[in-house]
Amino acid sequence: MQRRTSMFVAAAILVVAAAGCVPKAENEVVVYSALDREFAAPILGAFHRANDGQITPVPKYDVESTKTIGLVNRLIAEADAPQCDVFWNNEILHTVRLQKMGLLEPHDWQVGENWPPSMQASDGTWCGFAARGRVLLVNTQLLPDPEQWPQTVAELADPKWQDRCALARPLFGTTATHAAVLDVALGAEQAETFFRAVADNATVLSGNKQVALAVASGQVAWGLTDTDDAIIEKDDGMPVEIVFPDQQPGQPGCLRIPNTVAVLKNAPHPEAARRLVDYLMSSQTEDRLAMGISSQIPVSQDAKVRPHVLPESPVRWMEVDFEAAAERWEQLAPRLEEIFAGELEF
């Protein structure tokens, strides 16, 4: 009797233990999103509906102006016990930093062989989509003759535009990514010379939106900003036009910086995470972002919506190695902080 009782207890323990090994139903997926809530939330809601309400996205947003940095620091701090499943970044530099730190999980991205190599991680840990272009926004009242409009990013250092052009301080967001790309393209020594000339020549503002507002209000004649900030001013009827820079032979082309998505290593809900990133990488998601007020630029050839921020003529995009740019960031950031250390204008 005692033996049979002991066997029953042992069997019960095995059943309980086995039940504890069964994964919980993945009915939610935690998303850290650097993309603004107003753009990300409707898409996450559409994912919820597409899965018959079986998977609920739980987004975490950071409202600070340096929100990408805040979310990345949070992911680094949680590395030993991840709370996040999917990181949706609205740029790429710091996504690649997480890749280099080994915090992202490889994924089989269903994007086809025509997806630009610059928009895919070499180890499959992230993928880029729905880009913004780095453009020049021109005030047409201050510069009424199109023949006089700037045509290259290099003109930020041209003395003829002294105090008449602007850019965001290149320590955060897409401007930081742009600086890192230039550091690779020009080489460290030539890039530093360029950055110092820009700091002496241009008005340095706190962000790309502030650059667009400064141009629209006539505080400066033109500035370097993102397409989403530029098109908002144009759609609001402000006296501005958008120039996609560096389009002539021998010039590098216009830089485009994509959204990126990645699954976190040891994500709490890995299957739900994989389903979400596949949904985000679909041409339908790119179409939604292209139709929105930010007019983001699809990467997929299957996308049906042509965002109205694009000019009639095709844009030649800059060839970029974002991973090489990210590798330069740790050395570049202190130099940029010293070069652009002056008081910001707002």
Side-chain angles (χ1 to χ4, degrees), residues 16-343:
V16 172
C21 293
V22 176
K24 293 181 179 179
E26 295 194 355
N27 56 7
E28 68 177 28
V29 55
V30 179
V31 186
Y32 287 6
S33 175
L35 187 68
D36 290 342
R37 183 192 303 263
E38 63 180 302
F39 304 125
I43 292 172
L44 295 176
F47 169 77
H48 178 66
R49 294 189 296 274
N51 285 273
D52 298 322
Q54 298 300 306
I55 302 177
T56 301
V58 181
K60 308 289 185 184
Y61 302 100
D62 196 321
V63 298
E64 299 300 324
S65 59
T66 57
K67 57 190 173 185
T68 299
I69 299 291
L71 291 170
V72 168
N73 287 341
R74 185 171 177 175
L75 289 169
I76 294 170
E78 296 171 351
D80 292 336
Q83 306 299 305
C84 173
D85 296 302
V86 172
F87 181 40
W88 181 354
N89 197 359
N90 64 348
E91 53 94 37
I92 190 169
L93 179 68
H94 295 289
T95 302
V96 180
R97 287 185 61 221
L98 294 174
Q99 170 198 1
K100 300 299 182 183
M101 297 172 70
L103 300 183
L104 306 180
E105 184 73 22
H107 180 67
D108 182 17
W109 301 98
Q110 303 299 307
V111 294
E113 58 185 23
N114 293 324
W115 209 262
S118 64
M119 301 288 181
Q120 301 180 66
S122 60
D123 60 0
T125 52
W126 54 261
C127 204
F129 70 111
R132 289 173 289 169
R134 296 285 292 162
V135 295
L136 312 180
L137 187 66
V138 177
N139 184 297
T140 55
Q141 291 180 340
L142 297 177
L143 296 173
D145 182 2
E147 294 296 321
Q148 302 301 314
W149 293 354
Q151 297 296 320
T152 72
V153 171
E155 290 184 65
L156 286 167
D158 191 331
K160 78 175 183 179
W161 298 114
Q162 178 79 45
D163 299 325
R164 301 184 68 204
C165 59
L167 80 161
R169 191 180 185 192
L171 290 174
F172 309 104
T174 55
T175 314
T177 303
H178 201 159
V181 167
L182 291 175
D183 197 55
V184 172
L186 299 175
E189 184 175 344
Q190 187 178 345
E192 181 160 343
T193 299
F194 173 69
F195 294 143
R196 291 191 181 279
V198 171
D200 290 339
N201 196 63
T203 298
V204 181
L205 301 173
S206 59
N208 290 307
K209 182 174 183 61
Q210 285 69 34
V211 171
L213 290 170
V215 174
S217 65
Q219 179 183 338
V220 293
W222 65 276
L224 175 66
T225 188
D226 293 333
T227 45
D228 58 337
D229 292 309
I231 196 63
I232 287 172
E233 298 306 315
K234 186 173 181 180
D235 287 346
D236 281 350
M238 302 304 291
V240 296
E241 287 294 340
I242 298 170
V243 174
F244 285 76
D246 296 295
Q247 296 297 291
Q248 297 304 311
Q251 295 177 345
C254 178
L255 176 61
R256 60 178 172 176
I257 297 178
N259 282 261
T260 51
V261 290
V263 177
L264 271 293
K265 182 169 285 187
N266 299 320
H269 310 97
E271 180 56 34
R274 287 189 284 269
R275 291 175 68 173
L276 175 58
V277 297
D278 285 343
Y279 182 87
L280 293 178
M281 288 301 305
S282 68
S283 60
Q284 291 83 0
T285 297
E286 289 204 302
D287 282 339
R288 289 181 71 111
L289 290 169
M291 286 187 290
I293 61 171
S294 61
S295 195
Q296 300 201 31
I297 302 164
V299 176
S300 172
Q301 296 182 358
D302 295 328
K304 296 180 173 59
V305 176
R306 188 177 189 275
H308 70 289
V309 72
L310 288 176
E312 294 183 5
S313 56
V315 176
R316 186 165 59 84
W317 301 112
M318 187 178 187
E319 294 293 330
V320 183
D321 184 344
F322 287 115
E323 292 186 20
E327 287 176 355
R328 301 283 278 267
W329 180 248
E330 297 300 330
Q331 292 75 37
L332 177 61
R335 287 162 41 210
L336 291 174
E337 191 161 10
E338 181 265 319
I339 293 169
F340 292 90
E343 184 176 347

